[in-house]
Amino acid sequence: MSSEPTATKPNPPERSDSSSSSVDTQEIHTPIPIRPRLPNRKSSGTLIVPRDSSQVGPLEPELEPDDVRAMSPRRTSEDIEVMGREAREELHRHARALQDSLLMIFNRIEAVKEEHDKLDNHNKFLQKYIGDLMSTSKITSSNRGRK
């Protein structure tokens, strides 16, 4: 069903049933939907701004005297110095606590190593002792068999 005109067709053989109609001789047109055009927009212009332009950087908002943001407390250099000193002291205390816990872990590892070495030596002693017992029992059992 295209919208192009069709070439004339030879007459088909006539049918005897009632389904044949004048549809064969008429051309059927279907409307083709057309997409609406987009509205034209103005260019937003270039986004490149020179470095020394006044448009670069944050703009200081102009606040009214009764604006809540203008009434927020400002910290003085002494306040900042005190806060920095307190932060350093807290950091120093935290570092000292971490060093102490690391030393405790190290001491525990050393104690476990000593205990391991002690048990390993006892184990070797017992293995030698059992080996000696087994060899003496073989000797004594072979001597009894000869008698």
Side-chain angles (χ1 to χ4, degrees), residues 47-147:
L47 297 176
I48 301 172
V49 179
R51 185 179 300 187
D52 56 346
S53 173
S54 63
Q55 296 176 345
V56 177
L59 300 175
E60 292 291 328
E62 295 181 20
L63 303 174
E64 305 269 333
D66 59 341
D67 191 349
V68 173
R69 293 174 291 173
M71 291 186 243
S72 66
R74 304 284 183 210
R75 291 191 175 103
T76 63
S77 60
E78 294 86 23
D79 293 339
I80 293 173
E81 189 176 318
V82 168
M83 288 173 56
R85 191 174 348 163
E86 289 173 353
R88 281 190 296 277
E89 289 172 0
E90 179 62 31
L91 188 60
H92 184 69
R93 282 193 296 270
H94 186 66
R96 175 57 67 194
L98 289 175
Q99 286 174 345
D100 291 344
S101 71
L102 184 62
L103 184 61
M104 287 174 42
I105 291 171
F106 178 75
N107 290 336
R108 176 71 179 134
I109 289 172
E110 288 297 317
V112 168
K113 277 184 182 179
E114 289 174 7
E115 184 69 20
H116 174 267
D117 291 342
K118 180 179 163 186
L119 291 173
D120 193 39
N121 287 336
H122 284 294
N123 192 17
K124 287 178 184 176
F125 173 77
L126 289 174
Q127 285 176 346
K128 185 177 181 305
Y129 180 72
I130 291 172
D132 291 344
L133 284 178
M134 295 294 282
S135 65
T136 57
S137 69
K138 287 180 185 176
I139 293 171
T140 57
S141 65
S142 64
N143 287 342
R144 287 183 189 171
R146 290 183 187 168
K147 288 184 184 179

Side-chain angles (χ1 to χ4, degrees), residues 4-48:
E4 297 178 9
T6 58
T8 54
K9 298 180 185 176
N11 289 338
E14 291 190 21
R15 291 189 251 171
S16 62
D17 61 350
S18 62
S19 66
S20 66
S21 65
S22 63
V23 173
D24 294 336
T25 60
Q26 294 179 355
E27 190 173 322
I28 300 175
H29 294 285
T30 58
I32 298 174
I34 300 173
R35 176 179 278 168
R37 296 192 60 78
L38 293 174
N40 291 336
R41 295 186 295 170
K42 290 185 196 177
S43 173
S44 60
T46 182
L47 297 176
I48 301 172

